[in-house]
């Protein structure tokens, strides 16, 4: 009997040790991995507060742009930028839309926390999208301005409220239609134009240019118009006020950048939302 007990005792001790280790071992579980959903550039980019606080919002619908030109120059836009800033001038939301990429072009719904905000909308048809990073200035990527429309709306949101906003954009550029009366020189390569007034940057709060910047603009002369009269170019410009008087220098240059022909024009009447027709001769 004693011999049998001696055989069982070591086995019992081993089993006891295993049970003690199991009882004392800390049970752990793998923590679930959180995968962030990549945000589109600018969308809710600075609105990093808890979504539960966003109990109100806006529902914007851009209506057809106001027609400020004659029938010959109908307004057009295939891109829209929406940006919302809070009372501290911090951007809290932005959306970029392209007409050919969405069926509901011109409609934007977004939720925000209760408070006071400013909404900026820009409509254009330049090659690149326009991001509104701040309320001080907006410009286009390649500095080439085309007909541009915009609107600024200040609004206040209360808890549980969704504001419906039908918006009509206003044209904020002036257009110069320049027709060269003389035949275009056969060695013409491009046209360099310098305007005395206006800029390619504008203040989104006012829609006016930031300064008068006489920066040279270049327009390629197609082969098909060399030696022919009546070649026409169009220039869009942001002005520092609703109307202004502009002087202009136009130089036709050859492939070596030498001046082939030069023109000086003064007293051009320019107005935002209007087209000025100019005969260059």
């Amino acid at each position: 009997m004693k011999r049998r007990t001696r055989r069982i005792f070591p086995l019992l001790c081993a089993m006891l040790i295993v049970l003690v280790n199991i009882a004392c071992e800390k049970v752990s579980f793998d923590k679930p991995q959180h995968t962030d959903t990549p945000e589109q550039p600018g969308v809710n980019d600075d609105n990093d507060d808890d979504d539960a606080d966003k109990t109100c919002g806006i529902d914007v619908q851009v209506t057809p742009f106001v027609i400020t030109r004659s029938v010959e120059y109908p307004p057009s836009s295939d891109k829209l930028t929406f940006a919302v800033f809070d009372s501290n001038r911090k951007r809290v939301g932005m959306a970029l839309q392209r007409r050919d990429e969405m069926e509901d072009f011109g409609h934007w719904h977004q939720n925000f926390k209760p408070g006071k905000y400013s909404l900026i909308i820009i409509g254009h048809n330049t090659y690149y999208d326009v991001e509104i990073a701040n309320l001080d200035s907006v410009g286009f990527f390649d500095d080439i301005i085309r007909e541009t429309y915009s609107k600024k709306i200040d609004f206040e949101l209360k808890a549980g409220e969704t504001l419906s906003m039908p918006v009509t954009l206003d044209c904020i550029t002036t257009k110069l239609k320049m027709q060269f009366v003389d035949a275009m020189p056969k060695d013409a390569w491009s046209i360099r134009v310098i305007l005395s007034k206006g800029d390619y940057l504008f203040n989104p709060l006012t829609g006016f240019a930031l300064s008068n910047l006489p920066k040279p603009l270049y327009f390629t002369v197609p082969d098909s118009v060399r030696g022919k009269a009546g070649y026409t170019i169009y220039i869009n410009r942001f002005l520092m006020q609703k109307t202004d008087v502009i002087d202009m220098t136009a130089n036709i240059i050859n492939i070596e950048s030498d001046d082939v022909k030069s023109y000086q024009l003064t007293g051009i009447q320019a107005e935002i939302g209007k087209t000025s027709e100019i005969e260059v001769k």
Side-chain angles (χ1 to χ4, degrees):
M1 184 70 179
K2 291 181 179 179
R3 184 177 302 172
R4 184 178 178 182
T5 302
R6 284 197 299 268
R7 292 177 181 174
I8 295 175
F9 183 74
L11 180 59
L12 292 174
C13 289
M15 292 176 64
L16 181 62
I17 292 172
V18 171
L19 291 173
V20 171
N21 288 337
I22 292 176
C24 295
E25 184 178 357
K26 181 179 180 181
V27 179
S28 62
F29 299 92
D30 291 336
K31 185 178 180 180
Q33 298 297 313
H34 174 68
T35 302
D36 290 325
T37 301
E39 291 184 348
Q40 297 179 5
V43 179
N44 295 334
D45 51 350
D46 300 318
N47 224 353
D48 53 4
D49 296 320
D50 195 315
D51 286 340
D53 292 334
K54 301 172 189 175
T55 58
C56 49
I58 58 175
D59 196 78
V60 184
Q61 182 66 58
V62 177
T63 61
F65 306 140
V66 61
I67 297 179
T68 55
R69 305 191 189 285
S70 65
V71 177
E72 185 180 355
Y73 311 106
S76 63
S77 177
D78 60 1
K79 297 177 187 66
L80 285 170
T81 300
F82 301 83
V84 173
F85 293 80
D86 64 15
S87 56
N88 295 317
R89 297 172 62 90
K90 177 183 178 183
R91 192 179 71 185
V92 294
M94 193 174 85
L96 307 174
Q97 294 185 356
R98 293 192 173 200
R99 186 186 299 275
D100 59 354
E101 294 178 355
M102 60 188 309
E103 295 181 359
D104 202 13
F105 178 75
H107 176 255
W108 185 49
H109 176 86
Q110 190 64 51
N111 293 329
F112 299 98
K113 297 189 301 180
K116 294 183 178 181
Y117 299 92
S118 293
L119 167 66
I120 305 290
I121 307 175
I122 297 175
H124 64 101
N125 62 352
T126 60
Y127 181 78
Y128 297 96
D129 293 314
V130 175
E131 290 200 21
I132 309 174
N134 56 65
L135 289 173
D136 296 322
S137 67
V138 172
F140 297 102
F141 182 82
D142 53 6
D143 296 346
I144 300 298
I145 303 170
R146 293 180 177 86
E147 197 165 76
T148 306
Y149 296 81
S150 185
K151 178 75 78 174
K152 171 186 175 286
I153 300 174
D154 295 322
F155 63 94
E156 182 175 2
L157 288 175
K158 299 179 181 179
E161 178 183 42
T162 296
L163 291 180
S164 177
M165 294 184 179
V167 179
T168 301
L169 303 183
D170 298 317
C171 184
I172 59 172
T173 48
T174 185
K175 183 187 288 288
L176 305 181
K177 178 185 177 182
M178 299 173 53
Q179 185 176 47
F180 289 82
V181 176
D182 302 331
M184 189 62 55
K186 292 187 177 180
D187 58 345
W189 181 259
S190 66
I191 302 172
R192 180 178 62 238
V193 178
I194 300 178
L195 303 176
S196 63
K197 300 287 183 67
D199 198 351
Y200 62 89
L201 296 172
F202 71 95
N203 183 333
L205 296 178
T206 64
F208 291 133
L210 297 180
S211 63
N212 288 318
L213 183 66
K215 179 181 178 180
L217 303 172
Y218 291 87
F219 301 84
T220 301
V221 176
D223 294 339
S224 59
V225 305
R226 294 190 182 111
K228 298 179 181 179
Y231 181 53
T232 302
I233 62 175
Y234 296 88
I235 300 177
N236 290 282
R237 197 77 166 164
F238 299 113
L239 299 179
M240 294 188 70
Q241 53 198 40
K242 181 69 175 177
T243 61
D244 212 335
V245 179
I246 299 176
D247 297 333
M248 182 192 71
T249 300
N251 299 90
I252 299 175
I253 59 180
N254 59 22
I255 195 170
E256 287 83 18
S257 298
D258 297 326
D259 287 353
V260 177
K261 209 164 190 177
S262 298
Y263 302 89
Q264 294 280 346
L265 289 89
T266 60
I268 300 171
Q269 301 291 325
E271 181 178 350
I272 290 177
K274 301 292 183 180
T275 297
S276 299
E277 298 192 9
I278 306 163
E279 287 189 345
V280 182
K281 57 184 179 179

